[in-house]
């Protein structure tokens, strides 16, 4: 562990190259304040820079994933002027989304309990989501007369489509695990006690794959969302040409050929 048990964010790396970022304010249902948001960003940047880390898992301590912004903290911000409030988002909360966008390593959210408002959005910003069957998601902003101040309104429609996203934003209703899986908000749902084992199995599967190809895929998928087809094809032809020079590709081809030879005998 790189931080003390009292830290708002815990970060650990295991022997398989999986870095685990744990939201660690269980008494506040992992609602975030300023120090926690800044530690969260630092942990993501540390994971990205550390060559030992291949895949990152984000989860919550205790019974919630993340309840969003801490209400005590939010009360402080209501005393700020509008520029001060904007800058809390712009200089701190938004850095999570922008750091994740810039990263090359896969990030998997293990949704262990309730994810509300910005906490729900934080799960949506990860690349993949595995959800405990008792966990719930809610875009709860509407009930306090607010909207998603992070990137929820950008991420959610890309995952589930505009009509479904607007329904969830406009009603603020709670989505259970079964519905979340059905509409594509999460990749898979598992019994609570299997959440971490399933998440780590998925993380290890990805960590065992050729890493440069994993990273080029991540970049290509996200960049393609704002790219013309011709530009995308020009880019991926370059990526392919580069990957064909990597040892992982050469080793993979050699292994495939020897398997084919074995099958012919």
């Amino acid at each position: 562990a790189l931080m003390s048990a009292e830290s708002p964010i815990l970060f650990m790396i295991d022997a398989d190259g999986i870095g685990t970022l744990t939201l660690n304010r269980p008494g506040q249902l992992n609602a975030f304040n300023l120090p926690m948001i800044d530690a969260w960003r630092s942990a993501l940047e540390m994971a990205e820079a550390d060559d030992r880390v291949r895949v990152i898992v984000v989860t919550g301590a205790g019974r919630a994933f993340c309840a969003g912004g801490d209400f005590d903290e939010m009360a402080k911000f209501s005393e700020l002027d509008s520029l001060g409030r904007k800058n809390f988002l712009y200089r701190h909360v938004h850095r999570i989304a922008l750091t994740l966008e810039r990263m090359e390593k896969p990030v998997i959210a293990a949704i262990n309990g309730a994810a509300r408002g910005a906490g729900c959005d934080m799960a949506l910003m990860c690349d993949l989501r595995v959800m405990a069957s008792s966990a719930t998601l809610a875009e709860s902003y509407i009930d306090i007369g607010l909207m998603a101040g992070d990137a929820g309104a950008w991420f959610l429609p890309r995952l589930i489509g505009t009509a479904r996203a607007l329904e969830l934003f406009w009603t603020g209703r709670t989505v259970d695990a079964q519905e979340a899986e059905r509409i594509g908000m999460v990749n898979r749902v598992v019994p609570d006690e299997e959440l971490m084992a399933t998440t780590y199995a998925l993380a290890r599967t990805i960590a065992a794959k050729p890493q440069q190809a994993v990273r080029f895929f991540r970049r290509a998928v996200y960049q393609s969302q704002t790219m013309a087809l011709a530009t995308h094809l020009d880019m991926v032809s370059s990526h392919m040409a580069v990957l064909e020079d990597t040892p992982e590709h050469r080793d993979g081809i050699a292994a495939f050929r020897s398997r084919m030879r074995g099958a012919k005998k």
Side-chain angles (χ1 to χ4, degrees):
L2 302 181
M3 303 176 191
S4 77
E6 285 73 55
S7 297
I9 297 287
L10 304 178
F11 185 67
M12 299 171 79
I13 303 168
D14 74 10
D16 295 313
I18 315 304
T20 303
L21 190 163
T22 305
L23 311 179
N24 189 42
R25 297 183 80 217
Q28 292 79 29
L29 302 180
N30 302 318
F32 56 81
N33 55 14
L34 197 58
M36 181 175 172
I37 275 290
D38 289 346
W40 192 330
R41 181 186 72 188
S42 302
L44 288 170
E45 287 172 347
M46 194 160 49
E48 176 73 356
D50 192 323
D51 288 338
R52 294 172 298 169
V53 177
R54 291 175 162 233
V55 178
I56 295 136
V57 170
V58 179
T59 195
R63 60 194 178 87
F65 176 76
C66 178
D70 185 288
F71 270 116
D72 291 340
E73 189 96 346
M74 295 305 146
K76 276 188 255 170
F77 293 116
S78 65
E79 294 162 18
L80 298 172
D81 64 7
S82 52
L83 182 62
R85 293 195 293 263
K86 177 182 173 68
N87 279 336
F88 168 65
L89 293 171
Y90 188 73
R91 293 181 177 159
H92 300 282
V93 179
H94 293 175
R95 296 287 166 89
I96 305 289
L98 294 169
T99 300
L100 285 168
E101 182 184 43
R102 245 188 359 254
M103 288 177 69
E104 298 198 297
K105 298 175 182 180
V107 182
I108 307 173
I111 305 170
N112 56 295
R116 297 269 174 281
C120 180
D121 294 338
M122 292 297 191
L124 300 178
M125 289 173 201
C126 298
D127 302 309
L128 308 177
R129 280 154 293 284
V130 183
M131 186 172 183
S133 56
S134 74
T136 54
L137 304 170
E139 288 288 1
S140 47
Y141 299 96
I142 197 77
D143 292 327
I144 51 170
L146 292 178
M147 65 163 297
D150 47 29
W154 194 92
F155 283 101
L156 189 56
R158 283 168 164 76
L159 278 172
I160 67 172
T162 52
R164 281 198 164 114
L166 283 168
E167 184 210 332
L168 295 185
F169 287 129
W170 283 338
T171 64
R173 70 178 176 80
T174 298
V175 178
D176 65 21
Q178 188 181 5
E179 183 185 6
E181 187 176 35
R182 179 175 62 78
I183 66 178
M185 238 173 135
V186 300
N187 292 71
R188 63 178 81 159
V189 169
V190 295
D192 292 21
E193 63 277 7
E194 292 169 28
L195 175 68
M196 297 318 291
T198 303
T199 303
Y200 284 124
L202 176 59
R204 281 194 297 269
T205 298
I206 298 168
K209 300 291 183 189
Q211 289 301 291
Q212 192 53 60
V214 165
R215 291 167 193 182
F216 270 153
F217 257 127
R218 189 187 192 281
R219 281 154 59 178
V221 165
Y222 289 124
Q223 289 169 9
S224 74
Q225 294 181 348
T226 53
M227 232 179 210
L229 176 61
T231 317
H232 177 79
L233 291 172
D234 197 16
M235 178 182 78
V236 296
S237 59
S238 299
H239 287 351
M240 280 285 277
V242 170
L243 287 172
E244 287 182 356
D245 276 336
T246 60
E248 291 88 350
H249 171 67
R250 293 199 192 102
D251 295 348
I253 290 292
F256 179 74
R257 288 210 166 109
S258 72
R259 279 199 305 275
M260 294 308 287
R261 280 197 297 273
K264 282 184 182 133
K265 284 172 186 164

